[in-house]
Amino acid sequence: MNMLIRGPEDEILKKEQAFRIIRSTINEKGREALYDLTGLAGGFPIKKEDKRLLETYIGPAIYEEKLKRLAVEHLGGEEVIAFNRTTAGILATIIALTKPGGKIIHYLPESPSHPSVPESAKVRGAEYLEFDNIKEFYTPPGTKLIFITGATMDHKIIEIEEFKRIISLSKKARIPTVVDDASGARLRTIIYKQPKAIELGADLAITSTDKLMNGPRGGILAGKARLVKRIKSVAYKFGLEAQPPLIAAMVRALEEFEPTRLIKAIKLRDEVYEKLKRSFKGFQKTPTGVMIRPEEIKKEIEKRNVKTRLSPQETSYLWAMLLLQEHGIITIPAAGMPGASPTLRLDLSAPDAQRLKPDQITRILEETFQKLLDTIIEPEKAKKILGG
Ligand SMILES: *Cc1c(COP(=O)(O)O)cnc(C)c1O
């Protein structure tokens, strides 16, 4: 049970506190004092000549066509639509392809799902079932849509055999499949050399242009023209589709996307991981970085004979806040949206990671962990750090 962060509202307060620290760091020391290691870039690489074309009707006329060409190259499929966020694309897909009372089945390499899938199912009044064990996976009668997550929020990657198995089951049952490939569209294909989701037989795939590429926060959905058309009509009805400035930035981000940057991160990751092993048992490698789960943080704390009433999740939030406060390192447990993963993950493919040396990263984690031990025995102090 959490005692300090009791729900989404407290998570918002925590995020706002993180934003206050980011603001004051920028004002006092400048952008160079911050290191965004979330792996979410928020890049907006439009060019000067794009700016005068960003109008309501001229913009889409120019950029939607370019986007289609680039997105089909990136994801495969026949037709595409860009969304304000991946979450918006998932909501539109669920509204378009299911009805109240229908069933949505989700397979992912490890639960929990990104909140966008179960929350959209709830809004739709659809039943939602989640599996992370292929042996248990089945499609009950009344299943209208199957989701597959290619890479989880913690960057756990689906096994290719599992992927193929679900596609074959869905084809037999004639149920459309959507792949939530928010980060997977790059992690799976570039690091793990898996085929694109659509090449593997998925009907639809959605990715986030913010993840592991220098694009804006937004989602691109691609796939069968017949399904994309239905999703588009829902998107326009509810205002979920991306607007011209966002589409132009997505186009530029896809144009300049460079897979080798992800490959290069692997070396830095391995160095950091080896050094971290000297002080911590609980860190794990991710495809492009390192992470420690809340339960592992708890073990590290217990090993040092420190007792706390804070939950493992809260110790992760707190460590993330200390990293931000003391060293300007931005991670998702500090700055993420409500429902984001509480795992403390450092993405070393992030542009800011290039300014940090492996020794420096290790030292910062050791120092802030000592501070964490001092803080968790004083819940009042911890509360102040989390909420200001
Ligand atoms: C990030 C992510 C999303 C949501 O993306 P947003 O653009 O933030 O809405 C959905 N699913 C997975 C697996 C993700 O990692």
Side-chain angles (χ1 to χ4, degrees), residues 283-295:
F283 274 91
Q284 279 173 264
K285 290 184 188 180
T286 70
T288 57
V290 293
M291 68 173 197
I292 184 163
R293 294 178 190 280
E295 287 305 324

Side-chain angles (χ1 to χ4, degrees), residues 1-7 10 294-295 298 308-315 317 379 386:
M1 268 305 282
N2 289 355
M3 58 181 291
L4 299 177
I5 303 286
R6 283 154 307 186
D10 288 340
E295 287 305 324
K298 183 179 167 197
T308 179
R309 285 155 61 209
L310 301 190
S311 71
Q313 204 177 15
E314 287 170 318
T315 61
Y317 292 148
L386 289 174

Side-chain angles (χ1 to χ4, degrees), residues 265-322:
I266 297 175
K267 190 168 158 270
L268 180 57
R269 172 200 69 183
D270 289 347
E271 282 178 45
V272 169
Y273 177 72
E274 287 308 317
K275 288 183 197 295
L276 280 174
K277 268 209 301 214
R278 292 182 217 146
S279 316
F280 303 103
K281 289 259 171 305
F283 274 91
Q284 279 173 264
K285 290 184 188 180
T286 70
T288 57
V290 293
M291 68 173 197
I292 184 163
R293 294 178 190 280
E295 287 305 324
E296 295 296 325
I297 299 176
K298 183 179 167 197
K299 286 187 203 156
E300 298 286 350
I301 293 169
E302 285 168 353
K303 235 186 308 183
R304 289 156 179 92
N305 294 314
V306 176
K307 295 228 175 328
T308 179
R309 285 155 61 209
L310 301 190
S311 71
Q313 204 177 15
E314 287 170 318
T315 61
S316 183
Y317 292 148
L318 204 53
W319 196 353
M321 275 315 217
L322 290 168

Side-chain angles (χ1 to χ4, degrees), residues 85-87 114 116 151 180 182 211 217:
R85 273 182 58 186
T86 299
T87 295
H114 187 273
S116 55
D180 176 359
K211 290 183 175 163
R217 190 160 202 176

Side-chain angles (χ1 to χ4, degrees), residues 204-372:
L204 297 161
I206 186 160
T207 196
S208 161
T209 52
D210 193 22
K211 290 183 175 163
L212 303 143
M213 64 187 283
N214 183 37
R217 190 160 202 176
I220 303 178
L221 176 110
K224 295 244 165 78
R226 159 179 72 79
L227 298 176
V228 175
K229 210 151 100 191
R230 285 166 62 190
I231 296 165
K232 270 188 181 175
S233 92
V234 169
Y236 298 143
K237 233 186 283 183
F238 293 104
L240 301 170
E241 81 285 5
Q243 297 306 297
L246 202 64
I247 300 177
M250 288 174 167
V251 164
R252 294 303 190 187
L254 283 168
E255 275 175 356
E256 48 180 64
F257 175 61
E258 186 42 77
T260 52
R261 213 179 70 214
L262 296 186
I263 310 265
K264 278 191 196 137
I266 297 175
K267 190 168 158 270
L268 180 57
R269 172 200 69 183
D270 289 347
E271 282 178 45
V272 169
Y273 177 72
E274 287 308 317
K275 288 183 197 295
L276 280 174
K277 268 209 301 214
R278 292 182 217 146
S279 316
F280 303 103
K281 289 259 171 305
F283 274 91
Q284 279 173 264
K285 290 184 188 180
T286 70
T288 57
V290 293
M291 68 173 197
I292 184 163
R293 294 178 190 280
E295 287 305 324
E296 295 296 325
I297 299 176
K298 183 179 167 197
K299 286 187 203 156
E300 298 286 350
I301 293 169
E302 285 168 353
K303 235 186 308 183
R304 289 156 179 92
N305 294 314
V306 176
K307 295 228 175 328
T308 179
R309 285 155 61 209
L310 301 190
S311 71
Q313 204 177 15
E314 287 170 318
T315 61
S316 183
Y317 292 148
L318 204 53
W319 196 353
M321 275 315 217
L322 290 168
L323 282 168
L324 176 58
Q325 195 176 294
E326 309 286 316
H327 299 278
I329 291 179
I330 305 172
T331 55
I332 290 171
M337 298 275 170
S341 170
T343 298
L344 186 63
R345 180 165 61 74
L346 308 185
D347 196 305
L348 302 174
S349 72
D352 288 348
Q354 317 313 310
R355 295 189 283 124
L356 291 164
K357 301 258 179 306
D359 276 329
Q360 202 181 351
I361 297 172
T362 315
R363 186 175 44 75
I364 288 173
L365 284 167
E366 287 165 354
E367 272 177 31
T368 46
F369 185 71
Q370 283 309 317
K371 273 230 161 83
L372 176 70

